Amino acid sequence: MLVTVFFVVTTAVWVNLDTVPPLWDQSQYLQESEILYHTLRHSGPVAFLSAFSGVMGMKAPLITALPLPFYFLLGESHLAARYVNVVFILIASWYLFRLGELVAGRRAALLGVIILNTFPLVAGMARQVLVEYGLMTLVILWMYYLLRWQGGEEKSSAWALGIVLGLGMLLKVTFPLYVGVPTALVLLRDVLRHRRLRASTLASLARVAVVAVPLAGIWYFKNWAAVFGFVMKAGYGDWAQAYSKGSVFSMGTVGTYWLDLINFGIGGYWFLVLVIVTCWIAVKALRREGPFGIARDHLYPLLAWWTVPWLALTFTVSKDIRFSVPYLPAIALLLGSGCAAIARRRWGTAGLGLIAVLGILHYTYYSFVARNAGLEWRAGPLIVSSNNLKWAHPPTAEPWPNEDVAKILADDAQKQGFAQSKAAVLFSHPRLSSHNLNYLSALHEFPVRFTTCNIQMTESSSELASRVRTESNYLLTKSASLGPEFLNVKNVEVLDLLQGAGLPFDRIASIALPDQSELFLFRRNERGYRVWRPEDYFRLHAPGQGRVVRFGSGISLVNSDVADTSHGLKLSLVWQCTAQMKEDYRVYVHAYAPDGQVFANGDHYPAHGNHPTSRWRVGEVIEEQVWIPKAPPAGLRIYVGWYQFERRFQLPVEGGGAREAEPNGVRIY
C-alpha cells in the first residue's frame, strides 16, 4: 500500500506541474472525450450510447469515455483526464502484486510492483492520456484471472475474464496480441492434463464470450471493417513507414528499436540488473540446481506474455516503443522473482532492499530533477541513468497560447458571421497543432474546426492548396520549428503554392511562442461565396440560358460558369432555394476524362459549410466557387448534383441539362 501510494502521489504531483498542451494522439482522444461529455450532458444517456458506438471510427473508443467521471468531479480539463491513469496505477499495482504473490511469493511480488512502476516507459505512460497504461492494466487483470482459472476457480474467473476481454477490446484492438498465446498455453495444458476437452472448460469459454461479445460489440458491430483496415495500415502499411526505425539488426546505433526498448523502455539500470539475474539463472540451470522461484505451470504463460508480442512488434514496420508497455509487467515479475531468488541465497533482505531503493531513486531523478541540472551516465550506447528518457522526463512549464489562439479565431468568426469556420494549420508541432486546437474547440464548444495537411492525405499539394484557398476561413502559419519534418512536407509545399499564387489571406494577429518562433493568424480576404437577395442578384445577372435546373423541390441551379486559370478550373455555381428544406444536403462535383475515368471529384456542403441547406430561405440565391486544381484534358466533362450524406439519397434532376453518365446530376462543362 505504501509503495502504491508513493507512485500515485508522485504521478499526481507530476501531472499538476506539467503545463504543456497534449500531443497529437492525446488531443484526438480528448477531443472525442469532450464531444461525448457534452452529448451526455445535453442529450442524455441514449444519445451518448449512440455517439459512443460510432466515435473514433478506426480506433477503439474506451479511452474517450474514461475521463468523463473526472470531468463531473473535477471539471473539464486536460489535467482532469490525466487522473484516469492515477486510478489505473492503483489497480495495476494491486493486481500485479496479487499475481506475483500467486506465482512467486510476496517478496517477488512487491519487487515486481516497484520495478514495473519505475520502468521509464511505464512511468511516462502513466502521465499521458493514451491507451497504453490502461491496456497494460487490463492485461495484468487477464493474466491474474487466467491463472486463477488454471488453479481451479473456473466459474468466477471466467466471468471476470469476459469483462476484461470486452473492455480490453474496447481499449485497443491489439489486446489479444498480449494475452492470446498465454491463454492458449493454459487451455492446452488443461486438455493434456485431463486428456480431453472438459465440459467445464467449454462452459468457461461460453461465459467469457457471453460477456465479452456484447460488451465489445457496442462499438465493433458498427466499426469492425474500418478498425482492422486501420491496424494493417498503421502497423504494416504505408502509414507505418514514417514511424519505422529501420532494420532491427542494425544494433550498432543508438537509434535502433531494441536499444530504444532498453534505454527508454525498461531503463539502463534495470537492464543491468536483468543481465545479472539472467546470467545467474543460466548458471543455476546448467548446474541443475532447480528453478528460480516460479513453478513451470506459471513460468510458461509469463514467458509467452512477454516474448510473443515482443517478437510481433519487433517485426512490424511501425516501431513505437510505447506499444511494448502491456508486456512489460511480465518482465517486471520475472525480474522480481529472479532477484528474490538470488537474495534468498546470496544478498539477503538488505541487498534486495538496496536494489529497490536504487530503482526508486532513479525514478525520482528522471521524474523531478530539472533537465538543465541533470546528468547522464552512459556505458557505450547504453544509457545507465538520465533524466530525459523520451516519455520519462521532468514536468515542463511552458506558456503555450493555444487557448488564446482558439478563442481569437472563435471571436473573429462570430464577428464575421460564420456559423462554422475552418482553419488550415500549415504546420504540425508537438505543442501546437490542429489536434490540440481541435481539442480546445471541443472543450469550449467553439465553432472552429482546424485541419492540417498530414502525411495520410492522398491529394497532391496543388489539390490541397486549392482546398485551403477555397474552403478555409482562416490560415495559421509558424515562422520556424514546424515540428517533425516528415509530418510537415505537404504543409511546406502547400504554403509555398499559396504564397506563389498571392496568399489570399489577410493577417489578423501574430503571437510570440515559447520556442522563440512566431505564430501568424490570417483570415481569408474573400469569403468564396455570397448569399444574395433574389431581387439584387437577378437585377445584375440574367439566369443562364437553358441552364436552370431543379434538384428535387428545393434547389435550382440558376447559373454556372467554368474558367480555365493558371491554378486549375474555377467553377462558379449559383443556386436558388425554391422550397424550405429540413435536411442538410451536400454538393458533389464529378469530372470525367474522355475515356470515362474519374479525373477529379469533390463533395462539400454549400458555402464551404457556412450556410447549410437547412438554413436556406425560400428565394435566396447562393453563389459559390469550387476549384479543380489540375490542368484539364480536352473533352473533360463536369457534372454537379446534390445528395443527403447520412442516407446516401440523391436529389433527382427535374429539368434541363444533359445527364449522360450521371442519373441525378447535370453536366455544366
Side-chain angles (χ1 to χ4, degrees):
M1 289 175 63
L2 290 174
V3 167
T4 304
V5 167
F6 170 78
F7 291 115
V8 165
V9 170
T10 52
T11 301
V13 170
W14 193 98
V15 299
N16 277 277
L17 293 175
D18 187 73
T19 61
V20 298
L23 299 179
W24 296 282
D25 287 359
Q26 299 176 69
S27 298
Q28 184 183 13
Y29 296 141
L30 290 166
Q31 176 190 346
E32 299 296 343
S33 178
E34 289 291 347
I35 293 172
L36 289 177
Y37 179 69
H38 295 149
T39 300
L40 181 60
R41 290 197 63 181
H42 300 328
S43 304
V46 174
F48 166 79
L49 286 174
S50 176
F52 179 78
S53 68
V55 72
M56 299 296 288
M58 295 187 298
K59 296 181 180 181
L62 184 59
I63 188 65
T64 64
L66 292 176
L68 267 60
F70 297 91
Y71 295 156
F72 281 106
L73 294 172
L74 304 174
E76 298 171 73
S77 70
H78 176 212
L79 175 62
R82 284 174 160 184
Y83 278 103
V84 169
N85 282 338
V86 172
V87 175
F88 276 135
I89 290 173
L90 290 167
I91 300 172
S93 298
W94 171 247
Y95 273 93
L96 187 67
F97 180 76
R98 296 288 303 276
L99 178 61
E101 191 178 30
L102 179 67
V103 302
R106 295 173 66 84
R107 279 190 174 190
L110 179 57
L111 188 57
V113 170
I114 294 172
I115 293 171
L116 179 67
N117 283 290
T118 56
F119 279 161
L121 185 58
V122 174
M125 288 298 103
R127 301 160 184 171
Q128 309 295 333
V129 186
L130 291 167
V131 301
E132 275 68 32
Y133 201 96
L135 190 66
M136 179 195 77
T137 303
L138 291 176
V139 172
I140 292 171
L141 265 68
W142 178 275
M143 294 301 298
Y144 172 72
Y145 285 111
L146 178 68
L147 296 187
R148 292 289 293 268
W149 182 91
Q150 180 182 251
E153 300 180 20
E154 295 187 1
K155 187 172 183 180
S156 59
S157 295
W159 291 120
L161 288 170
I163 296 171
V164 174
L165 178 59
L167 294 176
M169 292 299 295
L170 284 176
L171 202 54
K172 197 166 187 178
V173 68
T174 55
F175 180 78
L177 171 67
Y178 305 98
V179 302
V181 175
T183 304
L185 289 176
V186 169
L187 292 176
L188 178 61
R189 181 183 178 279
D190 184 77
V191 171
L192 293 176
R193 186 174 64 180
H194 296 92
R195 298 185 179 181
R196 61 187 176 85
L197 181 61
R198 296 181 297 129
S200 60
T201 301
L202 292 174
S204 294
L205 294 174
R207 292 186 187 101
V208 173
V210 163
V211 177
V213 171
L215 185 57
I218 294 172
W219 186 80
Y220 279 93
F221 288 157
K222 182 183 290 187
N223 302 283
W224 67 270
V227 71
F228 286 108
F230 171 76
V231 167
M232 294 306 298
K233 290 180 180 179
Y236 297 91
D238 295 339
W239 294 0
Q241 294 291 341
Y243 300 92
S244 173
K245 294 185 180 295
S247 172
V248 298
F249 301 107
S250 55
M251 293 297 293
T253 63
V254 175
T256 59
Y257 177 62
W258 288 345
L259 196 56
D260 278 358
L261 282 176
I262 294 170
N263 284 333
F264 309 120
I266 65 176
Y269 168 72
W270 286 120
F271 176 72
L272 292 175
V273 176
L274 179 62
V275 170
I276 294 170
V277 170
T278 303
C279 292
W280 183 85
I281 292 171
V283 170
K284 293 298 178 183
L286 290 173
R287 293 179 177 178
R288 300 179 181 273
E289 294 186 13
F292 68 99
I294 300 180
R296 186 174 300 175
D297 291 347
H298 295 148
L299 178 61
Y300 292 155
L302 290 180
L303 290 174
W305 176 6
W306 167 57
T307 54
V308 172
W310 173 68
L311 288 172
L313 294 172
T314 290
F315 292 100
T316 58
V317 177
S318 178
K319 292 181 175 61
D320 193 326
I321 61 168
R322 63 187 171 97
F323 301 152
S324 67
V325 169
Y327 69 70
L328 294 186
I331 298 177
L333 276 184
L334 292 167
L335 184 53
S337 175
C339 288
I342 297 176
R344 281 196 298 268
R345 301 187 183 187
R346 301 289 183 190
W347 303 336
T349 303
L352 200 61
L354 179 62
I355 292 173
V357 168
L358 288 175
I360 291 172
L361 288 175
H362 186 217
Y363 164 87
T364 307
Y365 172 66
Y366 66 64
S367 297
F368 295 105
V369 175
R371 296 188 191 190
N372 57 6
L375 297 173
E376 183 172 281
W377 293 274
R378 286 179 174 267
L382 180 67
I383 302 174
V384 179
S385 180
S386 173
N387 66 336
N388 188 13
L389 298 171
K390 289 192 176 179
W391 290 102
H393 56 76
T396 305
E398 292 179 348
W400 285 84
N402 299 30
E403 295 236 12
D404 294 337
V405 173
K407 191 174 189 310
I408 288 171
L409 295 191
D411 290 345
D412 189 81
Q414 185 177 20
K415 292 177 183 177
Q416 299 300 318
F418 299 151
Q420 283 287 333
S421 56
K422 292 183 179 180
V425 183
L426 292 188
F427 56 87
S428 187
H429 189 273
R431 304 290 190 242
L432 181 61
S433 66
S434 63
H435 294 73
N436 48 42
L437 290 170
N438 275 325
Y439 158 60
L440 293 171
S441 275
L443 173 66
H444 299 294
E445 299 184 272
F446 290 152
V448 185
R449 173 71 177 172
F450 297 87
T451 61
T452 191
C453 301
N454 60 45
I455 59 174
Q456 298 175 8
M457 290 184 168
T458 58
E459 297 98 324
S460 68
S461 295
S462 59
E463 291 173 314
L464 293 171
S466 176
R467 281 176 52 185
V468 171
R469 183 171 56 242
T470 59
E471 297 180 11
S472 298
N473 308 98
Y474 297 96
L475 180 68
L476 278 67
T477 66
K478 194 172 181 291
S479 63
S481 305
L482 301 185
E485 184 176 350
F486 74 93
L487 292 180
N488 285 288
V489 172
K490 289 189 176 181
N491 283 318
V492 173
E493 293 173 352
V494 168
L495 181 58
D496 287 344
L497 288 171
L498 290 173
Q499 290 175 332
L503 193 66
F505 292 84
D506 298 322
R507 187 190 298 185
I508 59 174
S510 61
I511 302 173
L513 298 176
D515 65 351
Q516 311 306 313
S517 68
E518 194 169 6
L519 174 70
F520 302 104
L521 282 64
F522 297 87
R523 183 197 309 122
R524 193 173 65 211
N525 56 21
E526 57 179 24
R527 297 176 71 179
Y529 75 93
R530 184 174 177 181
V531 179
W532 297 77
R533 291 186 300 177
E535 58 269 24
D536 292 337
Y537 179 82
F538 290 113
R539 178 167 48 84
L540 299 173
H541 307 84
Q545 297 299 317
R547 305 303 300 158
V548 177
V549 182
R550 295 188 67 176
F551 294 87
S553 61
I555 302 172
S556 289
L557 176 68
V558 299
N559 252 331
S560 64
D561 179 68
V562 181
D564 191 355
T565 74
S566 59
H567 302 297
L569 291 180
K570 177 182 178 182
L571 283 60
S572 296
L573 304 173
V574 183
W575 314 99
Q576 185 173 27
C577 178
T578 54
Q580 191 66 47
M581 293 169 284
K582 295 182 179 179
E583 295 182 305
D584 290 329
Y585 293 94
R586 288 169 65 99
V587 187
Y588 71 76
V589 178
H590 291 174
Y592 295 93
D595 60 2
Q597 297 296 312
V598 175
F599 175 75
N601 63 70
D603 296 12
H604 65 278
Y605 286 104
H608 313 307
N610 294 292
H611 194 49
T613 56
S614 59
R615 298 181 183 176
W616 287 12
R617 297 178 181 178
V618 175
E620 73 179 9
V621 176
I622 298 89
E623 182 181 14
E624 64 173 349
Q625 296 176 353
V626 179
W627 287 80
I628 297 179
K630 295 181 179 180
L636 185 72
R637 293 174 290 123
I638 302 176
Y639 295 82
V640 297
W642 289 82
Y643 70 99
Q644 211 282 326
F645 180 74
E646 285 77 12
R647 295 190 291 131
R648 298 293 179 182
F649 170 72
Q650 280 191 258
L651 290 177
V653 176
E654 297 188 354
R659 292 191 288 276
E660 299 178 20
E662 296 280 338
N664 292 321
V666 60
R667 183 175 177 181
I668 64 170
Y669 182 75

